[in-house]
Structure formats: structure tokens, C-alpha cells
């Protein structure tokens, strides 16, 4: 896409964040992807004052880094905050959240169908964490990639999981939370990988890595990763809750009609272009102040993003993934369309465009 289109002020509904944390973009052309020195996956980053805090799995353990910029995280000391145990090996995708003055790190662990979500908590970002507690998610099924957020005064937990006890497909689920560590009530499916563009690579078909954010009109979005993470078809797509919608009602969510950030033109939503420098961008992190969607930017400000991807020209494999910094812009007046389901078949509002 042309950056100048994103910068245009003639189109009233377009407002962009066009400055990366470490590399300025210019209208002369797209910037090269800003690869960090972290050869890793699943970035989770928040900003506390002027400090950026990241969390990462190192296999069976969890480490936290703190730095004055996202670019500096790669060279910051990695402080181990949790050590795996024989029954909780294989830590996947830890997510750091700040709530009520405490830090909470959510992660999945366990083998095979026994993989579940756990949480550790502390008053400090890089020390003093509690022992791991299993989240009592409703139905107690396989679960990964969970994160906490607050929307309209209610805490919510959103994650990727199985409907049953077999690995058929990974859906996105949401449940209410009465505290940062206590789910309450039922779980509700909000997305299933049923669109052709998110079923290019499967076995299983996947919706995962959900990240909530609030748009300039206050509507809730959950941006997620689709297609197999072992493939360069991995990409980001959007769920937008309709104005006044109920987060627990699947038909109040409208899905983008294709990938919004990906490396294959055939799966991109019309009007969105594939990446130039990376393959399979996915499992991103909106770098929010205090990790709070209440601090989501209004239309206009520059906004940082982190995601993992594989540099073009490199074989696509899990071990070749790096953390990248980038930006996104809000893209207004965007219609998502659907058919053969209850409710209106179109919904128009804010979407997102992403930049390497």
C-alpha cells in the first residue's frame, strides 16, 4: 500500500500512526521491516511510564525484560521470573497484563490435550511472582494464548481453545472474570476458522493469538492470527464488535473479509497489500500504556506494534522467527460482510492497516 494514502488528511475517516518506535517511515516508500535481535515468537509488550516491559518463553521458563524503547528490549537483561516444573513444561505465549497495580503473566503449559492456561502475579514486573495457578476456565478444555482486558467496566478473558477434547480446530473464546485470576460464568465462542482465507493451512485450522483493542469510536476489536503458525500463510485478521453489541454473542462480532497483515495477496482483504520484507507475520502485541485497552489511541497518534515473522528469503520455520517492531493505522469507513448467518450482513466502522 502507499504510505501517502495513509497520511492523507483529505479522507476524513482515515487516521494513522506512521512512526515506528525506532525507524521513521517516509512517503518516499515503505521502510524495511524493523527486525529486533530477539529470535523468538509471540511478543507481549506493554509500556509503564517511559519503560517498555516484555515477557517471553524460553522453553520451560519465563523471562521479563525492561528497556527505554522496544528496540532496546533485545539487549536488555532477561530476568527469569518463573521456572518450569516437570508437570508444567513447554511454556507457550506468555502474556503480561497490568491490573489493579499488579502484574499478571498468563501462559499455557502442559502436554498434549492437557495444555491449560496458568497465571502468576507480582507487584513488580520482573520479580516476586507467585506460584503458578491454573485458571479455572469454563469447560476446562485445551487452552492457549489467553489475555485479560477490561471493557465497559467488565473484566474479560479471551483465548484460543478446543471445543472438545480433540484437536479439530482452534476457536476463540471469551469469558467474564470477577478478578484477574478468577473466571466466572460460561465460555462463549466468538470466532471459528471457517472462512476460505483462514483455511489455507490447517490440520488443525486455527484462530489464535487474540489481542483486544478499542477503536476511536470506543468499539471493541480482537485482532487474531489465522492459518497454521508453521506456515508463511500465518496472518492477522480482525473481529469487530458491532456498536452496542454483546461480547458473548457470536453474531455481534464481524470478521474482516481476509487477512489485514500477511504475506500472500490471495488471502488479503480487498484494499490491503501483502508484506514486502517478512513472511507470515502474526501473534502481535499492541504496545498499550499499562497494557490497558482504555489507553488505546484515538484517531491520529503514532502507535507502536510488535509481531513475530520470518525474514523473506529465509526458510519458514518456528526457529527462524524474530520479533519485529512496526506500526498500524486506524482505517475508517470499512465494511465487513458476511452471509447466511443471523443479524445484518454488513457492518461499517474502523479497521486497521499494518506496516512492517
Amino acid at each position: 500500500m502507499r504510505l501517502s494514502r495513509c497520511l492523507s488528511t483529505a479522507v476524513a475517516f482515515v487516521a494513522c500512526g506512521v512512526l515506528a518506535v525506532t525507524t521513521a517511515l517516509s512517503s518516499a516508500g515503505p521502510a524495511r521491516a524493523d527486525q529486533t535481535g530477539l529470535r523468538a515468537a509471540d511478543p507481549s509488550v506493554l509500556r509503564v511510564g517511559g519503560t517498555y516491559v516484555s515477557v517471553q518463553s524460553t522453553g520451560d521458563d519465563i523471562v521479563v525484560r525492561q528497556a527505554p524503547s522496544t528496540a532496546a528490549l533485545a539487549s536488555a537483561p532477561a530476568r527469569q521470573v518463573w521456572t518450569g516444573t516437570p508437570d508444567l513444561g513447554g511454556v507457550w505465549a506468555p502474556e503480561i497484563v497490568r491490573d489493579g497495580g499488579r502484574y499478571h503473566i498468563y501462559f499455557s503449559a502442559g502436554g498434549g490435550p492437557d495444555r491449560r492456561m496458568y497465571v502468576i502475579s507480582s507487584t513488580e514486573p520482573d520479580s516476586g511472582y507467585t506460584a503458578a495457578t491454573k485458571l479455572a476456565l469454563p469447560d476446562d478444555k485445551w487452552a492457549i494464548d489467553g489475555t485479560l482486558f477490561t471493557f465497559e467496566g467488565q473484566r474479560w478473558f479471551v483465548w484460543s481453545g478446543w471445543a472438545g477434547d480433540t484437536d479439530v480446530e482452534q476457536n476463540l473464546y471469551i469469558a467474564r472474570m470477577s478478578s484477574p485470576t478468577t473466571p466466572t460464568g460460561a465460555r462463549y465462542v466468538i470466532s471459528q476458522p471457517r472462512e476460505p482465507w483462514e483455511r489455507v493451512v490447517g490440520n488443525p485450522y486455527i484462530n489464535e493469538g487474540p489481542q483486544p483493542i478499542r477503536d476511536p469510536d470506543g468499539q471493541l476489536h480482537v485482532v487474531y492470527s489465522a492459518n497454521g503458525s508453521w506456515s508463511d500463510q500465518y496472518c492477522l485478521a480482525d473481529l469487530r464488535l458491532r456498536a452496542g453489541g454483546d461480547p458473548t454473542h457470536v453474531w455481534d462480532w464481524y470478521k474482516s473479509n481476509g487477512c489485514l497483515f500477511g504475506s500472500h495477496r490471495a488471502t488479503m482483504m480487498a484494499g490491503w497489500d501483502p508484506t514486502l520484507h517478512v513472511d507470515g507475520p502474526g501473534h502481535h502485541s499492541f504496545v498499550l500504556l499499562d497494557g490497558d485497552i482504555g489507553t488505546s489511541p484515538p484517531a491520529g497518534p503514532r502507535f507502536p506494534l510488535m509481531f513475530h515473522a520470518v525474514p523473506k528469503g529465509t526458510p519458514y520455520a518456528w526457529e527462524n522467527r524474530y520479533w519485529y517492531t512496526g506500526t498500524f493505522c486506524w482505517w475508517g469507513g470499512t465494511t465487513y460482510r458476511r452471509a447466511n448467518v443471523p443479524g445484518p450482513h454488513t457492518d461499517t466502522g474502523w479497521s486497521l492497516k499494518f506496516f512492517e
Side-chain angles (χ1 to χ4, degrees):
M1 74 194 74
R2 294 178 182 172
L3 190 59
S4 57
R5 181 182 177 191
C6 187
L7 288 169
S8 173
T9 57
V11 182
F13 52 71
V14 175
C16 299
V18 294
L19 183 67
V21 174
T22 56
T23 302
L25 305 179
S26 75
S27 58
R32 288 197 59 81
D34 194 358
Q35 183 187 102
T36 74
L38 280 170
R39 193 165 185 163
D42 310 330
S44 175
V45 184
L46 53 78
R47 178 170 66 86
V48 181
T51 300
Y52 293 84
V53 183
S54 71
V55 65
Q56 175 195 347
S57 167
T58 58
D60 292 335
D61 305 323
I62 298 173
V63 299
V64 167
R65 292 180 171 86
Q66 296 187 82
S69 69
T70 53
L73 285 169
S75 58
R79 296 196 62 176
Q80 188 166 314
V81 298
W82 189 78
T83 302
T85 59
D87 59 324
L88 292 181
V91 171
W92 290 1
E95 185 81 14
I96 190 165
V97 172
R98 196 166 185 237
D99 183 289
R102 291 181 64 84
Y103 295 87
H104 306 277
I105 297 176
Y106 302 92
F107 63 95
S108 73
D114 296 325
R115 182 165 289 276
R116 298 293 188 272
M117 291 300 309
Y118 295 83
V119 61
I120 56 178
S121 304
S122 177
T123 56
E124 300 297 327
D126 62 354
S127 64
Y129 279 87
T130 61
T133 300
K134 179 184 171 184
L135 277 182
L137 291 174
D139 296 337
D140 191 28
K141 302 298 183 184
W142 188 95
I144 65 169
D145 296 355
T147 192
L148 178 81
F149 67 98
T150 298
F151 179 65
E152 295 185 343
Q154 171 66 55
R155 288 187 181 95
W156 300 90
F157 196 76
V158 62
W159 73 99
S160 175
W162 299 351
D165 297 316
T166 56
D167 191 4
V168 177
E169 62 182 5
Q170 288 175 220
N171 305 320
L172 297 185
Y173 293 94
I174 196 168
R176 292 179 175 87
M177 300 284 282
S178 60
S179 77
T181 58
T182 309
T184 183
R187 68 170 179 166
Y188 301 89
V189 66
I190 61 172
S191 181
Q192 295 174 285
R194 301 291 175 82
E195 298 301 319
W197 53 267
E198 57 185 352
R199 294 174 68 88
V200 178
V201 173
N203 194 25
Y205 297 110
I206 282 173
N207 284 177
E208 64 184 14
Q211 290 291 306
I213 192 165
R214 197 180 65 179
D215 72 25
D217 288 338
Q219 288 175 239
L220 179 63
H221 295 244
V222 172
V223 178
Y224 67 96
S225 300
N227 287 307
S229 64
W230 55 92
S231 161
D232 64 5
Q233 293 282 353
Y234 206 49
C235 69
L236 294 184
D238 180 40
L239 293 174
R240 181 176 63 218
L241 185 68
R242 70 170 181 84
D246 179 352
T248 69
H249 185 45
V250 65
W251 302 124
D252 282 353
W253 292 92
Y254 286 76
K255 184 177 290 191
S256 58
N257 300 118
C259 301
L260 302 183
F261 196 34
S263 51
H264 289 267
R265 183 172 296 279
T267 57
M268 302 299 291
M269 182 164 164
W272 272 251
D273 292 329
T275 52
L276 296 173
H277 306 295
V278 301
D279 282 329
H283 205 123
H284 68 301
S285 180
F286 293 118
V287 186
L288 298 174
L289 178 62
D290 293 325
D292 178 7
I293 70 165
T295 69
S296 297
R302 298 161 179 167
F303 190 77
L305 174 82
M306 293 200 78
F307 61 94
H308 79 230
V310 171
K312 282 191 181 293
T314 301
Y316 198 93
W318 283 348
E319 61 270 21
N320 290 336
R321 296 176 294 186
Y322 286 84
W323 285 15
Y324 286 83
T325 62
T327 57
F328 88 94
C329 72
W330 289 113
W331 197 260
T334 304
T335 300
Y336 294 165
R337 294 177 169 83
R338 64 191 189 187
N340 304 317
V341 298
H345 290 174
T346 63
D347 184 80
T348 300
W350 292 96
S351 187
L352 313 94
K353 287 202 175 185
F354 296 92
F355 298 88
E356 298 169 82

